[in-house]
Amino acid sequence: MQVDPRGPRFGASVTTVVLVAVLVTGSWALLAAQAVVFAIATFLGLRYAPYGLVFKVLIRPRLAPPRELEDAAAPRFAQGVGLVFALVGTAGYATGITWLGIGATALALAAAFLNAAFGFCLGCEMYLLIRRITAKDRTEKDSPEGKVPA
């Protein structure tokens, strides 16, 4: 599936605002709601992501067509990374381990802000790095030099 790259960037902007609100209020419920948003995007796909739907209905019709589309796999992976941090943060806040909640939320905020402000998707870069490493490993295992004689 291909996506307009402005959609995930819009989602990162909304996420940035939500995560700042979590850090200001210490609300585990708000962070849990953000985790649900991440989970929908991760497990159902970006097409069903709440912020993506807002972008599709309210924002994209007012913009010129994108110059190019991008594969949805990397942003979807990034949503999964955000989900992990949101779940850890929620658990920290909910159990009284406030430093864990603050730390996990701050890390997720940093990644969301990088995407929102600069278009640099940290989770997407992780995805691409993992793909390169695993592709290299598969190539080495399949090459004649990588095989062990019987």
Side-chain angles (χ1 to χ4, degrees), residues 5-10 12-13 16 70 75 110-125 128:
R6 299 170 296 186
R9 194 165 180 184
F10 170 79
S13 299
T16 297
E70 69 181 19
F113 179 76
L114 282 173
N115 194 356
F118 305 108
F120 181 78
C121 177
L122 193 57
C124 299
E125 294 300 321
L128 295 172

Side-chain angles (χ1 to χ4, degrees), residues 128-146:
L128 295 172
L129 181 63
I130 291 167
R131 292 279 311 232
R132 281 188 210 113
I133 291 169
T134 57
K136 183 178 176 183
D137 287 347
R138 282 192 300 268
T139 304
E140 288 176 359
K141 289 179 184 173
D142 293 341
S143 71
E145 298 85 26

Side-chain angles (χ1 to χ4, degrees), residues 50-90:
Y51 304 153
L53 291 172
V54 170
F55 176 79
K56 180 181 175 184
V57 172
L58 299 178
I59 309 294
R60 187 167 182 195
R62 292 170 170 73
L63 301 174
R67 284 187 228 143
E68 58 185 33
L69 299 175
E70 69 181 19
D71 184 40
R76 190 171 178 178
F77 177 84
Q79 293 291 300
V81 174
L83 173 60
V84 170
F85 280 93
L87 290 174
V88 169
T90 299

Side-chain angles (χ1 to χ4, degrees), residues 2 14 20 28 47 52 56 63 66 81 91 93 105 113 117 119 131:
Q2 299 285 301
V14 177
V20 166
W28 68 267
R47 157 183 333 198
K56 180 181 175 184
L63 301 174
V81 174
Y93 280 119
T105 303
F113 179 76
R131 292 279 311 232

